[in-house]
Amino acid sequence: MPAPARPRLPPDLLAMMARGVSVIVGSRDQANRPSIMRAVGSDVAADGERITVYLSRRQSRQLLQDLAATGEVAVVFSEPATHRSVQVKARQASLRHAQASDVPVLARYLSSMEHEVQRVGYAPPVTRAMLAHQLEDVVAVSFQPEQAFDQTPGPQAGTAFSEGTA
């Protein structure tokens, strides 16, 4: 059986996701009740084939339970200043404890988010408070996107990015 086609995101969207913008992570339980939480970090491979988002265990208990039970994840990346957004989905997310090797990724994300949030009028201390975490409390959620959708408000919202769209 051939591997399913992967969504092809436009390079400028991949670059936006990779530089570190607002990230909201969602899943569902067995009864389809949703759970969501803001990520405290993200890491997107240059080709978009692998994404890791970081969640505070203390703030994301239900979401982490749902991710562990279903493996299903939906993540929205959004640029605060423009609301340009993309949603990616997968059915096989894996979870692990964050490690010391994740610290530079989390620091880079925080720096980028300080800049992004400052563009809409909030000083870096606001972002630092919003994304505060302790490494031993952070869970890394990794997945390979299976679907992607334009989520920028407007007439194209909800349009799927499929193979060959970019």
Side-chain angles (χ1 to χ4, degrees):
M1 175 187 259
R6 299 283 179 218
R8 182 177 293 176
L9 291 166
D12 58 325
L13 269 181
L14 268 175
M16 178 192 83
M17 295 163 61
R19 82 168 183 265
V21 294
S22 177
V23 176
I24 302 296
V25 182
S27 187
R28 64 166 184 84
D29 67 11
Q30 299 295 341
N32 287 325
R33 287 183 296 250
S35 54
I36 66 167
M37 184 51 66
R38 174 176 298 284
V40 297
S42 67
D43 188 32
V44 178
D47 61 3
E49 288 289 314
R50 192 81 181 155
I51 295 173
T52 299
V53 294
Y54 297 87
L55 296 167
S56 163
R57 179 178 296 113
R58 196 166 27 100
Q59 298 173 345
S60 310
R61 194 168 64 185
Q62 184 63 53
L63 174 58
L64 291 168
Q65 287 175 0
D66 294 344
L67 288 166
T70 68
E72 295 189 7
V73 63
V75 178
V76 174
F77 292 82
S78 184
E79 187 177 54
T82 65
H83 300 292
R84 185 170 186 218
S85 305
V86 60
Q87 180 184 53
V88 293
K89 295 182 176 182
R91 289 174 288 179
Q92 295 183 334
S94 63
L95 284 65
R96 65 172 172 78
H97 298 285
Q99 307 164 354
S101 60
D102 295 309
V103 171
V105 173
L106 292 165
R108 186 180 68 239
Y109 180 79
L110 175 60
S111 178
S112 179
M113 278 295 288
E114 286 175 341
H115 173 73
E116 293 291 332
V117 174
Q118 198 165 18
R119 291 175 61 199
V120 294
Y122 295 94
V126 173
T127 305
R128 285 184 220 125
M130 180 175 69
L131 299 176
H133 63 271
Q134 302 214 341
L135 186 62
E136 58 274 8
D137 182 52
V138 175
V139 176
V141 179
S142 297
F143 60 95
Q144 188 171 22
E146 298 171 18
Q147 296 177 299
F149 303 91
D150 185 343
Q151 292 297 324
T152 303
Q156 299 302 314
T159 301
F161 292 106
S162 58
E163 191 166 344
T165 300

